Amino acid sequence: MSKTIAEINDKIKKGKAVVVTVEELIGLVEEKGVSKSAQTVDVVTTGTMGPMCSSGAYFNIGQPKPKIKLGGGKAYLNDIPVYTGLAAGDFFIGAGALPDSDPRNKIYPGKFAYGGGHAIEDLVAGQDLRFTATAYGTDCYPRKELSTWLSIRDMNEAVLFNPRNIYQNYNVAVNLSDRVIYTYMGILKPNLGNANYCSAGQLSPLLKDPGFLTIGIGTRVFLGGGVGYIAWWGTQHNTSVKTNRNGVPTAPAGTAALIGDLKQMSPEWLKGASFTGYGATMVVGVGVPIPILNEEICRHAALPDEKLSTRIVDYGRDYPQGRMRDLGTVNYAQLKSGTIRVRDKQVPTASLSSYPRAIKIASILKSWIEEGRFFLTERVGEFPGPGSGYSYHPLKERPIT
Amino acid sequence: MISKRIVLHFPRDLVSEPTISRLVKKYDLECNILRANITPRQVGIMVLGLKGGNKQYKDAIVYLKSLNITVQPLSQDVTWNEDLCTDCGACVTICPTEALTKDPNTQKVRFDKDACIGCELCIPACPMGAMEVHF
């Protein structure tokens, strides 16, 4: 028996849709099997909340009098340089941007206390930020300087746009070197002192639809506490990685680019973050609904942590040099137990992605759908899927002589 | 019997007094130095675990204060700001005493103040700035 998205939306409208979170679906499938569960359940909700560096936001400030052309000039938001290579009134800020005055890693390891992600969080929280700009002045935009307080309410548009979010699976990071290293996967102690992972595992959106059978361009999602959309597949999208016997990638694979109205979002689900020795970033909360159109979709969505695995990578030497050595594979149940075995050593594990927040997102999205406030979308375009040959490749340098 | 962890701030000029030795010999206290940074002509700081009789402990504190050493309970020093914590867990493998752990069932972060020795390793490990130190 199969369903369509239109049928499911009709049920949502009537308040009759059966919506469950991934955790509830796993329980249901254990109890009643895939076939029965696929018939009963209309939508399963996923969730994830972790650091997602490839995030940012663009804005239109509305013109002051006299007018100023930001494009080609320079502008700063709370001292953070923003991108002004756009039109007169637009700018973009990236989560990893840092004030010019930040010492970076000159005093190692750097703190990166305030970056673009923090500025976005402050805007979402409704705060006033300092906006300063210098421009070269034109006949139609004569102004050369602007210095003003700016809040999200002052902007015409405030749009979160993240080129790469919700990685389908991610590495487990360890350190085989003999010194402490400071990475985007956290502080890694020498000689396999700890192992850090970054995925919600069984709740992680793209792990639950590994073949991109429902998720695609135009999919409506929970983004930062508001409603967003999948705009495109994300950067570094990779369909050419190893999969397990359930067809689920066992290494970082698919990604999605997300877009949404920042004005609807909340600082509870968008948070600036600082990785010591690495940089500033933003923690983003995302939830994706998966329509249970058939048994295959249901079977994948119900795969528990035990059946989702990932690879262990050395960030001491291998990762920085772009070498890929297999240090083994572990599943998410093992990772969540607190220790894993690597090279005959018991290594304590920690997560950078918040599983309790992922649970909360999945349940919020569930209630939105149950209350008829959130309808599913038909995707308007597909992601390159498994077998498409679409893959990530490293840069082949062609030195300029 | 009393068992406490305290933070001592030593004045710049206190160098000749064998403080810890007195705590052991005169006040019969078990001393466990958890952290110490004491350099002549600088304000020194020591995190100290003390165990012993109630009266001896009280007298020892009076003795320390008589030397112009300020005494604070350790629990005031490292705090976990639950509002900022997102329950990721980046801190749990960095904390050397398992004061920061994850509940295996809920995957939520827990902070056991009594197990904290104030080493501050969690401060740079937390991306959200949820671990704060107050000396």
Side-chain angles (χ1 to χ4, degrees):
Chain A
M1 199 196 102
S2 60
K3 306 183 203 95
T4 66
I5 288 174
E7 285 164 7
I8 293 174
N9 276 339
D10 197 45
K11 283 190 182 174
I12 295 172
K13 209 174 183 177
K14 291 175 180 155
K16 286 183 177 168
V18 178
V19 190
V20 297
T21 67
V22 167
E23 287 191 330
E24 290 162 348
L25 182 73
I26 290 169
L28 194 71
V29 166
E30 268 172 24
E31 197 187 315
K32 297 190 168 167
V34 172
S35 181
K36 268 239 169 88
S37 304
Q39 281 174 30
T40 318
V41 175
D42 296 310
V43 186
V44 59
T45 57
T46 64
T48 187
M49 185 160 166
M52 304 190 195
C53 294
S54 201
S55 298
Y58 63 83
F59 305 90
N60 179 278
I61 60 166
Q63 281 293 341
K65 287 177 192 170
K67 293 182 178 179
I68 188 167
K69 181 178 185 291
L70 297 179
K74 283 187 173 174
Y76 296 85
L77 192 61
N78 270 6
D79 296 328
I80 293 164
V82 299
Y83 181 74
T84 52
L86 302 164
D90 295 348
F91 72 89
F92 181 89
I93 185 168
L98 293 168
D100 293 339
S101 59
D102 188 295
R104 272 78 176 170
N105 267 340
K106 275 181 199 146
I107 305 158
Y108 178 84
K111 289 184 174 166
F112 308 101
Y114 193 86
H118 298 89
I120 294 171
E121 178 186 343
D122 286 346
L123 279 174
V124 173
Q127 290 181 24
D128 267 331
L129 277 70
R130 277 173 285 109
F131 183 74
T132 55
T134 51
Y136 51 82
T138 71
D139 291 340
C140 44
Y141 292 90
R143 185 121 171 207
K144 291 188 176 171
E145 278 181 33
L146 176 66
S147 174
T148 178
W149 293 105
L150 195 63
S151 82
I152 199 165
R153 294 174 298 278
D154 298 320
M155 319 263 208
N156 289 308
E157 285 79 24
V159 183
L160 188 74
F161 180 58
N162 305 341
R164 181 169 74 248
N165 279 178
I166 55 170
Y167 239 117
Q168 186 182 37
N169 219 343
Y170 212 76
N171 297 330
V172 178
V174 296
N175 177 10
L176 295 180
S177 80
D178 55 11
R179 68 175 187 94
V180 176
I181 58 169
Y182 298 87
T183 75
Y184 69 90
M185 292 295 283
I187 300 173
L188 299 174
K189 298 194 278 188
N191 305 312
L192 288 171
N194 56 344
N196 285 0
Y197 65 101
C198 190
S199 171
Q202 64 188 11
L203 269 169
S204 185
L206 295 181
L207 275 178
K208 311 315 319 240
D209 182 10
F212 313 117
L213 299 179
T214 71
I215 296 173
I217 298 162
T219 298
R220 186 179 288 140
V221 300
F222 171 109
L223 177 59
V227 170
Y229 294 85
I230 293 179
W232 204 253
W233 57 89
T235 54
Q236 288 182 197
H237 184 74
N238 192 355
T239 66
S240 308
V241 305
K242 276 191 207 163
T243 54
N244 66 14
R245 76 172 83 98
N246 292 304
V248 188
T250 54
T255 65
L258 304 179
I259 192 162
D261 182 3
L262 199 62
K263 292 189 180 192
Q264 291 178 30
M265 298 184 195
S266 132
E268 199 183 345
W269 307 107
L270 276 186
K271 287 188 167 299
S274 305
F275 279 79
T276 301
Y278 180 73
T281 182
M282 189 162 66
V283 170
V284 184
V286 183
V288 180
I290 297 175
I292 301 298
L293 303 178
N294 57 45
E295 284 185 23
E296 188 188 0
I297 292 167
C298 182
R299 187 169 58 79
H300 281 127
L303 289 174
D305 280 332
E306 295 75 30
K307 290 182 178 166
L308 300 167
S309 47
T310 188
R311 68 180 180 197
I312 302 162
V313 174
D314 168 41
Y315 277 63
R317 296 189 190 95
D318 290 352
Y319 183 90
Q321 299 305 324
R323 277 195 304 258
M324 262 310 143
R325 185 167 34 149
D326 194 0
L327 295 179
T329 302
V330 281
N331 70 48
Y332 281 97
Q334 291 167 320
L335 286 165
K336 284 177 189 167
S337 76
T339 50
I340 56 168
R341 207 161 178 82
V342 188
R343 292 192 157 182
D344 294 325
K345 193 177 168 184
Q346 284 297 119
V347 183
T349 59
S351 175
L352 297 170
S353 177
S354 169
Y355 192 74
R357 290 297 185 104
I359 294 173
K360 212 170 163 191
I361 290 168
S363 75
I364 291 172
L365 183 54
K366 174 185 161 169
S367 65
W368 285 0
I369 299 170
E370 283 177 336
E371 290 159 17
R373 291 197 284 143
F374 185 106
F375 290 86
L376 307 189
T377 51
E378 294 275 2
R379 61 179 170 185
V380 292
E382 291 181 16
F383 277 14
S388 67
Y390 192 99
S391 67
Y392 165 84
H393 56 83
L395 178 70
K396 280 191 196 106
E397 279 181 72
R398 291 177 293 120
I400 301 161
T401 48
Chain B
M1 266 297 270
I2 194 163
S3 176
K4 275 203 173 172
R5 289 187 167 122
I6 55 173
V7 182
L8 307 179
H9 292 261
F10 288 75
R12 291 155 60 103
D13 49 4
L14 185 77
V15 270
S16 56
E17 179 76 9
T19 328
I20 301 300
S21 172
R22 289 254 204 283
L23 291 178
V24 177
K25 283 193 158 172
K26 193 167 171 202
Y27 300 97
D28 195 23
L29 293 171
E30 219 176 83
C31 295
N32 184 12
I33 301 173
L34 301 166
R35 265 181 78 205
N37 185 3
I38 292 162
T39 315
R41 288 182 296 279
Q42 281 181 20
V43 174
I45 183 167
M46 182 183 285
V47 181
L48 190 63
L50 287 178
K51 210 187 231 178
N54 285 2
K55 180 166 187 326
Q56 284 90 333
Y57 177 84
K58 261 186 203 163
D59 292 347
I61 299 296
V62 171
Y63 155 72
L64 290 170
K65 286 182 174 168
S66 75
L67 298 170
N68 282 331
I69 296 171
T70 59
V71 182
Q72 285 181 304
L74 176 64
S75 53
Q76 280 177 10
D77 295 322
V78 173
T79 54
W80 173 48
N81 187 333
E82 241 182 301
D83 293 338
L84 294 179
C85 177
T86 61
D87 290 300
C88 76
C91 54
V92 300
T93 54
I94 300 300
C95 175
T97 62
E98 296 186 356
L100 285 157
T101 52
K102 259 195 159 182
D103 184 310
N105 296 316
T106 63
Q107 296 287 317
K108 285 195 173 177
V109 171
R110 297 177 298 201
F111 179 52
D112 176 3
K113 270 191 176 183
D114 293 339
C116 174
I117 57 166
C119 72
E120 297 178 40
L121 284 175
C122 54
I123 311 282
C126 175
M128 314 315 295
M131 299 309 298
E132 292 159 358
V133 66
H134 307 277
F135 279 123

